[in-house]
Amino acid sequence: MAQKGEEPTQLRHLNSINDLTNSEIEEVFALADDYLDRFGDPAAAHRIAASHTAGAGHILATLFLEPSTRTRLSFESAMLRLGGQTITSSDPATSSAAKGESLADSVRVVSNYADAIVLRHPRDGAARLAAEFAAVPVINGGDGSHEHPTQTLCDLYTLRRENKQLKGLNVAISGDLRGSRTIHSFVYALARFGANLILMPAKGMGLPAHVDARLREEFRCVAAPKSSYAAEDASIDALYMTPEEPHQLSLIPAPDTEVDIRLADGLRQVDVVYVTRFQKERWAEAKADYPTVNSDFLKADRYKHSSVLHPLPRVGELDVAFDSDRRAVYFRQAAYGVPVRMALIALVLGLEKKKAFKRFAGGFEERPKALYEQPHDSGIACSNPNCVSHDPLERQYTRNKFHVHVGETPRLRCYYCETDIADFVVASRRGKRYKSSGEAGTLNALDLRTTLFFKDAAAAEGAGFSHGAPPRRQAAR
Ligand code: NCD
């Protein structure tokens, strides 16, 4: 047990990019710079070419239940370059999951074989679930369409190496914004560092509603009115400005404001174009019209100084003829996976003297959040069908678990996949009454020990609750 004055000993897992503070992200980059300086290839500035010894005696497990080339190999290369060792299970067909083993059992077992686990999984929220059962840090190597935080570290680091300041940067994002987990982590980070987002999704593939809502409600993004850019470029679906200071929010409704000027600048000069492939494994339908980025698209004046990024693999949406263009940085972006992941592993495991992430429970802002937890078959379940909590292998032990956000826009955020539910019903076990989340005062002074949430009124009534406030003496505290 920690003594007074000692740091608490919780493990630091990396499930979402929001599990790192901005200064921790900068720490990763500073250490990655240091590694490139010390172990880089003198002939190729983006490449690690020599090995360190700080990781000697440590083992990294890569547990990949979905295809991967870059993420797994760059993590393994990073661990080997640190002087550590790696073990891997990379073929879902030959892992115990194929025999029906749960993720909880797999990570409990692998925790005994390694000092950290990198997990890739087809289900949203799998990394958070794994972290609940692991005795060592779990790093999310991509979970369904939820997030891919270490890809975002590589993306931001690439921009830094290209001398692009994130604050005020105009970043266009093209492709499958709904299914692409790399984009979800990326937009949160860009907003947190003050970049502006120019969203150019393929038809019907805009950001998931809860990601979009979080950008506006938690990350201070302000959507520009469509009339301000629709005539300029029909492929733009949304434009988000991130005010540099909160007080600038008050300027937004007025015409000819600073934001309008910055908006016009954003359309005049796009600093970054981030391209992604159609995530065919996450869609039931085949893709129809999908945007292609090529020299023709990029010949517009506003792309003259753009850096073009892609997390790769590409499957036709980014023309190979563009590879020799000075604006193409995607292969360097993939190369930075090694120094960035070396730095991340070193900070998670505390391999460098006096450089380790602080061990608080996680979150870039350490706000205490009320947690609602019920057995799987009682009350509300996550609304995302791809959430790990619905996986037939995991259902037997997962619970309905939500962060409860009270305030102007009450919502339940799934503890695992972070999908939000805005409309729900709140029932008190004491008075056997329920109210909808939209009714005034519903979430005031909630006592989670006596509260059940339901999907809707019918579900609450089916469980024996009736509408209305509980009798006063039984009011929830
Ligand atoms: C990405 C992924 O797996 O989400 N690949 C990667 O890790 N670089 C992008 C993708 O598969 O489209």
Side-chain angles (χ1 to χ4, degrees), residues 66-72 120 141-144 147-148 150-151 179-182 274 276-279 281-282 310-314 317 341:
E66 230 192 19
S68 168
T69 304
R70 264 154 301 277
T71 304
R72 184 170 69 83
R120 172 166 286 193
D143 59 336
E147 281 206 41
H148 194 344
T150 69
Q151 179 63 47
S180 174
R181 54 195 174 202
T182 67
Y274 191 89
T276 56
R277 72 178 169 97
F278 173 62
Q279 303 283 309
E281 64 275 45
R282 313 203 195 285
H310 192 310
L312 302 175
R314 63 176 156 184
E317 68 287 339
R341 290 180 170 116

Side-chain angles (χ1 to χ4, degrees), residues 403-418:
H403 291 295
V404 183
H405 291 246
V406 288
E408 252 174 65
T409 44
R411 52 188 79 243
L412 299 178
R413 175 163 302 152
C414 175
Y415 177 77
Y416 300 107
C417 73
E418 302 188 291

Side-chain angles (χ1 to χ4, degrees), residues 73-390:
L73 293 185
S74 64
F75 259 114
E76 293 178 3
S77 172
M79 190 58 178
L80 296 171
R81 291 297 196 193
L82 283 168
Q85 315 258 2
T86 64
I87 52 176
T88 189
S89 170
S90 62
D91 177 5
T94 60
S95 77
S96 285
K99 298 184 195 163
E101 183 173 62
S102 71
L103 184 57
D105 285 0
S106 297
V107 297
R108 273 194 280 233
V109 168
V110 177
S111 290
N112 297 314
Y113 305 159
D115 302 299
I117 299 170
V118 183
L119 176 76
R120 172 166 286 193
H121 197 283
R123 290 281 187 167
D124 302 13
R128 183 71 88 211
L129 178 64
E132 285 191 298
F133 295 92
V136 297
V138 173
I139 298 172
N140 184 1
D143 59 336
S145 54
H146 172 231
E147 281 206 41
H148 194 344
T150 69
Q151 179 63 47
T152 291
L153 293 176
C154 300
D155 302 341
L156 299 184
Y157 185 68
T158 304
L159 297 178
R160 172 194 168 101
R161 300 287 294 195
E162 295 295 307
N163 289 322
K164 304 231 158 169
Q165 279 274 341
L166 293 178
K167 201 170 209 168
L169 202 68
N170 296 318
V171 183
I173 304 179
S174 156
D176 183 356
L177 277 59
R178 184 171 307 266
S180 174
R181 54 195 174 202
T182 67
I183 289 179
H184 305 155
S185 301
F186 192 44
V187 292
Y188 292 144
L190 288 172
R192 283 172 45 193
F193 280 98
N196 303 316
L197 311 176
I198 304 164
L199 304 182
M200 303 169 95
K203 198 158 179 278
M205 297 183 192
L207 286 176
H210 67 278
V211 175
D212 184 76
R214 277 188 85 176
L215 285 178
R216 286 181 283 105
E217 289 162 17
E218 284 170 44
F219 300 93
R220 300 192 287 116
C221 282
V222 176
K226 211 155 191 138
S227 57
S228 57
Y229 53 83
E232 185 80 26
D233 188 332
S235 54
I236 300 177
D237 182 62
L239 216 150
Y240 285 130
M241 319 301 293
T242 311
E244 283 165 30
E245 301 299 335
H247 71 258
Q248 287 181 312
L249 283 170
S250 60
L251 294 175
I252 278 126
D256 292 332
T257 62
E258 185 187 341
V259 165
D260 289 333
I261 295 163
R262 284 169 58 209
L263 168 68
D265 278 353
L267 294 173
R268 209 170 300 131
Q269 183 179 318
V270 175
D271 303 296
V272 179
V273 178
Y274 191 89
V275 190
T276 56
R277 72 178 169 97
F278 173 62
Q279 303 283 309
K280 69 174 186 322
E281 64 275 45
R282 313 203 195 285
W283 288 88
E285 323 80 272
K287 98 182 135 159
D289 303 332
Y290 200 80
T292 307
V293 172
N294 52 25
S295 302
D296 197 40
F297 173 90
L298 293 162
K299 75 171 188 277
D301 234 26
R302 73 178 79 101
Y303 298 119
K304 207 163 155 186
H305 301 291
S306 303
S307 293
V308 178
L309 273 69
H310 192 310
L312 302 175
R314 63 176 156 184
V315 289
E317 68 287 339
L318 177 58
D319 190 0
V320 294
F322 185 71
D323 293 357
S324 53
D325 193 290
R326 63 171 171 78
R327 295 169 292 175
V329 297
Y330 29 90
F331 290 116
R332 286 203 288 282
Q333 179 188 0
Y336 290 135
V338 178
V340 166
R341 290 180 170 116
M342 284 172 78
L344 178 69
I345 296 167
L347 290 165
V348 166
L349 292 181
L351 302 181
E352 300 286 353
K353 255 203 196 106
K354 296 200 172 144
K355 283 184 193 158
F357 286 152
K358 276 217 184 65
R359 301 203 170 188
F360 62 82
F364 82 99
E365 265 176 28
E366 262 195 288
R367 262 176 299 161
K369 297 171 203 123
L371 201 65
Y372 165 86
E373 196 179 330
Q374 287 295 326
H376 210 294
D377 51 4
S378 78
I380 200 165
C382 180
S383 60
N384 170 8
N386 197 48
C387 177
V388 70
S389 62
H390 298 306

